[in-house]
Amino acid sequence: MARNILILGASYGSLLGTKLLMAGHNVTLVCRKKTAELINREGTEVRIKLRDEPTHRSIFSRDLPGKLDATSPDQVDVSRYDLVGLAMQEPQYTNHTIRVLMVKIAVAKLPCLSIMNMPPLPYLKRIPALEGMDLEEAYTNAQVWERFTPGLVTLCSPDPQAFRPPDEEANVLHVGLPTNFKASAFADEKHTRLLRELEADIDAVTLDGQDVPVKLKVFDSLFVPLAKWSMLLTGNYRCITPQEPRPIRDAVHGDLDLSQSIYDHVDAVARKLGADAQDQVPFAKYAKAAESLLKPSSAARAVAAGAPFIERVDLLVKLISHQLDMPNAEIDRTVQVVDQKLSEKIVSGGSGAQ
């Protein structure tokens, strides 16, 4: 049965959207009016490399069995949808029209699957050790999440790496690292069954008889997506330096012993919250993947471009680690550098899109 999925964010969201379209489901991408007009006119193009093929393939939405449309936030009818995907960067949810839409989604009690790096606050409240912690400081505007029922919000680790090529239109996405989306179950088994249905449908898709990478994997554990925190704190945020941004590869491999110590510490924080070792990704596997990440992280590129706000998983992990009495000097230093770079942008009047 074709499901109707609403995805907030047409850039990274188009990757999950394309996988759903390939599986025969219908997708609406929420984005700026100009981008929506482009997508409704031309569709989307996601470039992805199949296993053992030397070049990327272009997958066009117009060729897929599912139906795609795009709309601005003010035009969304939430009653049409079975599931909402949250695929924008966290600061973007403070936009007025997005906030109005978020209220409608919360009131409609729609299950929400986040593929943000920054976990939605309601999801964190599902973890007993975090439920009473003071974490709002890490969010651009924590009030966005106030109306959401925690059990209706789950997190999907956004492990696949993808970007919009700078010289291309806004409907094009290039997948650099085609790993899997790893989602935690919902509180309600009915909603988890929907996720598992989508997981099976995506898994069954082939292209010219070949398997297509970037799967949706569903886990019972709430802690599987938290494995991404170790990667973000070791690589992505350390791309931000007092000078120019550096590639993820250099952030990780510039001092491998230091990188492993940061990674292991964040893993230990997750285990203190309740994670099991099997929920986590070994450092060696991450370090290997980082060898191919030759660009600065999206957070570092946003700061360099003048963005006054970015997703602050670095600050979130710092707040959690301090409240667990597990502070780490390197994490604190990373937060200090990011704070300094962002304050420079604000003082100088810089601005930029995420």
Side-chain angles (χ1 to χ4, degrees):
M1 183 175 83
R3 299 288 190 169
N4 296 317
I5 317 294
L6 181 71
I7 298 180
L8 278 61
S11 181
Y12 193 58
S14 69
L15 175 54
L16 179 60
T18 291
K19 296 296 296 188
L20 291 164
L21 292 166
M22 294 180 86
H25 299 287
N26 304 320
V27 172
T28 298
L29 296 174
V30 177
C31 50
R32 294 184 180 93
K33 184 179 178 183
K34 185 178 177 183
T35 305
E37 290 171 350
L38 171 67
I39 290 171
N40 287 331
R41 186 172 64 247
E42 299 182 13
T44 57
E45 177 186 352
V46 171
R47 297 170 183 166
I48 194 164
K49 190 183 285 189
L50 305 191
R51 186 185 294 276
D52 299 327
E53 288 194 353
T55 57
H56 283 66
R57 294 224 191 178
S58 286
I59 301 174
F60 296 97
S61 60
R62 60 176 177 265
D63 299 332
L64 303 177
K67 293 179 183 156
L68 174 69
D69 69 301
T71 187
S72 53
D74 56 310
Q75 298 298 312
V76 174
D77 174 6
V78 296
S79 68
R80 290 179 50 203
Y81 300 99
D82 302 299
L83 178 75
V84 177
L86 303 174
M88 298 189 307
Q89 302 229 12
E90 184 266 334
Q92 293 176 276
Y93 292 87
T94 61
N95 174 280
H96 174 69
T97 54
I98 295 291
R99 287 181 65 184
V100 171
L101 175 57
M102 293 288 276
V103 169
K104 292 178 183 176
I105 291 167
V107 169
K109 303 285 188 188
L110 285 171
C112 295
L113 173 69
S114 169
I115 57 170
M116 300 154 53
N117 277 326
M118 190 71 175
L121 264 173
Y123 175 80
L124 294 182
K125 292 185 185 304
R126 294 177 60 192
I127 297 172
L130 295 178
E131 190 177 4
M133 279 195 189
D134 182 8
L135 304 174
E136 284 79 4
E137 179 192 339
Y139 291 80
T140 312
N141 185 348
Q143 291 180 325
V144 171
W145 307 102
E146 283 181 346
R147 295 175 186 249
F148 284 84
T149 304
L152 289 171
V153 181
T154 197
L155 183 62
C156 186
S157 180
D159 292 354
Q161 302 284 308
F163 62 93
R164 273 183 178 166
D167 54 343
E168 300 275 7
E169 293 274 19
N171 60 338
V172 177
L173 189 75
H174 184 96
V175 181
L177 187 65
T179 44
N180 296 323
F181 290 113
K182 293 183 289 191
S184 288
F186 285 106
D188 189 325
E189 179 55 32
K190 175 180 70 176
H191 298 136
T192 300
R193 279 199 303 272
L194 169 57
L195 275 188
R196 294 195 187 281
E197 174 190 317
L198 299 177
E199 173 186 39
D201 292 347
I202 288 172
D203 196 51
V205 168
T206 58
L207 193 59
D208 296 336
Q210 294 188 67
D211 188 58
V212 183
V214 186
K215 310 285 190 176
L216 175 64
K217 301 292 185 183
V218 183
F219 296 84
D220 293 328
S221 170
L222 285 173
F223 298 97
V224 167
L226 270 53
K228 185 69 183 286
W229 291 3
S230 302
M231 306 175 197
L232 293 169
L233 270 291
T234 304
N236 297 49
Y237 287 98
R238 291 174 64 237
C239 293
I240 301 170
T241 76
Q243 291 79 41
E244 293 302 307
R246 58 181 173 174
I248 293 176
R249 180 189 64 184
D250 296 356
V252 175
H253 286 272
D255 184 337
L256 210 55
D257 289 340
L258 177 60
S259 293
Q260 179 152 16
S261 73
I262 297 167
Y263 194 97
D264 289 348
H265 186 85
V266 181
D267 272 1
V269 168
R271 286 196 298 276
K272 182 81 169 179
L273 295 175
D276 191 275
Q278 68 184 18
D279 296 329
Q280 301 177 320
V281 176
F283 174 74
K285 185 174 181 180
Y286 169 66
K288 179 67 177 171
E291 289 175 359
S292 65
L293 300 177
L294 307 181
K295 295 177 181 291
S297 64
S298 59
R301 296 198 305 271
V303 170
F309 304 103
I310 61 169
E311 293 185 314
R312 295 301 306 270
V313 181
D314 61 320
L315 178 54
L316 177 67
V317 172
K318 176 190 172 180
L319 292 171
I320 292 170
S321 62
H322 279 254
Q323 289 175 73
L324 290 173
D325 292 322
M326 295 176 65
N328 179 276
E330 287 300 327
I331 290 172
D332 291 356
R333 188 173 295 117
T334 296
V335 170
Q336 184 178 20
V337 170
V338 177
D339 284 347
Q340 178 188 337
K341 294 298 284 188
L342 289 172
S343 66
E344 284 174 7
K345 302 300 180 186
I346 293 170
V347 170
S348 68
S351 65
Q354 286 287 315

